[in-house]
Amino acid sequence: MMNFIFRVILLLLGLVFAASLAVAVMLLAAVWGVRYAWGRITGKPVTPWMASMGGRFNPRSGFERFRNAAQPAEPSAADVANARARGESVRSPLSLRPAGDVTDVRARPARGE
């Protein structure tokens, strides 16, 4: 008996959801129709909603945004000055000092030898 009541409740919830969805679609269609009719009465062209909300949708802009983000930015003059003061290259963190200055690394023989 509980299973039957549960199914009836779910059916009623589905019907309420479908009815609310239908009302929303009808309301949207009514607003669209009134807008179109007002444009016809006044003689003004009816622009699509997306055009009135910010222009055309350009799918290329998303790809360009991420492609440009992947390219490294050019270093500023302050970045160049700071890197040179530390003895580093602007393009990479490699040191420009000679290798003889390294003191904290011990040379080890290769494992194969």
Side-chain angles (χ1 to χ4, degrees):
M1 185 65 179
M2 286 299 287
N3 195 10
F4 177 72
I5 294 174
F6 184 67
R7 286 183 181 185
V8 169
I9 290 173
L10 283 179
L11 177 69
L12 293 176
L13 287 175
L15 290 175
V16 167
F17 178 73
S20 65
L21 193 61
V23 167
V25 168
M26 294 300 250
L27 183 63
L28 184 64
V31 169
W32 196 5
V34 167
R35 189 169 177 261
Y36 178 75
W38 182 254
R40 294 286 289 194
I41 291 171
T42 60
K44 294 181 181 178
V46 179
T47 58
W49 280 331
M50 287 305 296
S52 63
M53 287 189 222
R56 293 189 51 164
F57 173 71
N58 184 8
R60 186 182 311 154
S61 65
F63 291 106
E64 288 176 356
R65 188 178 89 195
F66 285 104
R67 186 177 61 228
N68 292 338
Q71 296 173 352
E74 291 295 322
S76 66
D79 293 334
V80 172
N82 288 334
R84 286 189 178 157
R86 290 189 310 262
E88 297 174 352
S89 170
V90 179
R91 298 285 180 196
S92 67
L94 298 176
S95 175
L96 297 177
R97 295 183 186 138
D101 293 346
V102 178
T103 58
D104 61 343
V105 177
R106 292 182 295 151
R108 296 183 187 171
R111 289 187 178 192
E113 294 178 10

